Amino acid sequence: KVRIYVDGVLVDSTTANGSGAWSDTSAALAQGSHTIKVTATDAAGNTSVFSNTNTFTVDSVAPSAPVVVAPANGSYVTTTTPLFTGTAEANSKVRIYVDGVLVDSTTANGSGAWTDTSATLTQGSHTIKVSSTDAAGNTSVFSNTNTFTIDTVAPGAPVVTTPANGSSVTTTTPLFTGTAEANSKVRIYVDGVLVDSTTANGSGAWSDTSAALAQGSHTIKVTATDAAGNTSVFSNTNTF
């Protein structure tokens, strides 16, 4: 007869079979750490010393939803191998899904922080979400899904249209116009000095009215910077 002690308390008994094997299903146990040990009593009533004591953990609760911190939702990144970061249950296994496909896994540290460097991704929009699995094999629901854009390509050189190269203007506050990558930030350099900036519209057109300039010859050139922070080479330089 095998007497079963859980956490030091006799909770049940069962009988070993002819080969000496025994089994017993536990009553419901609380979440957390427990111990089990047994004794065996033969037909004559002689009882053994205690068996080995095994410590085990009951964990039937899935981790809370993990969090993706970076890349932030709606962000632009200027590398094709971005660093993914976030939080999850301490020491859990974090599975990483990019564009809905499992691409990698990592382990959260003792504080729950996790990081992973992406394999090379293509230019354009991507999504990331993760799940976490604890030591007992319980898996969380998915984290938040962050959408981000990889853009490592600088805009093409913008163009200064007016004042035209070699032209004369009859105002000290000429209108500067040209084209650049749609929605890019256009930085305007007059006589080699950054004097202003404006934003190209959805069609790429931009314009800006100059501050008052002295009589005589001047130059204008511009650069364009996209939403990811990539900056073009200088445009043509127009002298007016």
Side-chain angles (χ1 to χ4, degrees):
K1 182 175 185 177
V2 178
R3 290 182 172 87
I4 302 166
Y5 295 76
V6 173
D7 300 330
V9 177
L10 177 63
V11 294
D12 205 358
S13 64
T14 188
T15 301
N17 66 18
S19 301
W22 63 269
S23 65
D24 188 71
T25 300
S26 172
L29 297 176
Q31 303 290 315
S33 180
H34 298 277
T35 62
I36 179 174
K37 61 185 178 180
V38 301
T39 61
T41 302
D42 62 22
N46 302 301
T47 299
S48 70
V49 298
F50 278 109
S51 68
N52 55 303
T53 298
N54 285 1
T55 299
F56 62 97
T57 300
V58 172
D59 180 359
S60 61
V61 179
S64 300
V67 176
V68 176
V69 175
N73 192 44
S75 66
Y76 287 81
V77 294
T78 56
T79 173
T80 57
T81 56
L83 181 66
F84 300 141
T85 69
T87 58
E89 182 174 297
N91 305 308
S92 63
K93 181 174 183 177
V94 178
R95 291 181 170 87
I96 301 166
Y97 296 77
V98 173
D99 301 331
V101 178
L102 177 63
V103 295
D104 205 0
S105 64
T106 188
T107 302
N109 67 19
S111 300
W114 61 268
T115 64
D116 189 70
T117 300
S118 172
T120 302
L121 298 176
T122 58
Q123 303 289 316
S125 180
H126 299 277
T127 60
I128 176 175
K129 63 182 178 182
V130 302
S131 65
S132 67
T133 302
D134 63 23
N138 303 301
T139 298
S140 72
V141 296
F142 279 113
S143 68
N144 53 305
T145 298
N146 285 359
T147 300
F148 62 96
T149 300
I150 290 182
D151 182 355
T152 64
V153 180
V159 174
V160 175
T161 303
T162 63
N165 191 45
S167 66
S168 295
V169 295
T170 58
T171 174
T172 58
T173 56
L175 181 65
F176 301 141
T177 69
T179 56
E181 183 175 297
N183 305 307
S184 63
K185 182 174 183 178
V186 178
R187 291 181 170 88
I188 301 166
Y189 295 77
V190 173
D191 301 330
V193 177
L194 176 64
V195 295
D196 205 359
S197 65
T198 189
T199 302
N201 66 21
S203 299
W206 63 267
S207 65
D208 188 70
T209 299
S210 173
L213 298 176
Q215 302 291 317
S217 178
H218 299 278
T219 61
I220 177 176
K221 62 183 178 180
V222 301
T223 61
T225 301
D226 63 23
N230 303 300
T231 298
S232 72
V233 298
F234 277 108
S235 68
N236 53 307
T237 299
N238 283 0
T239 301
F240 60 96

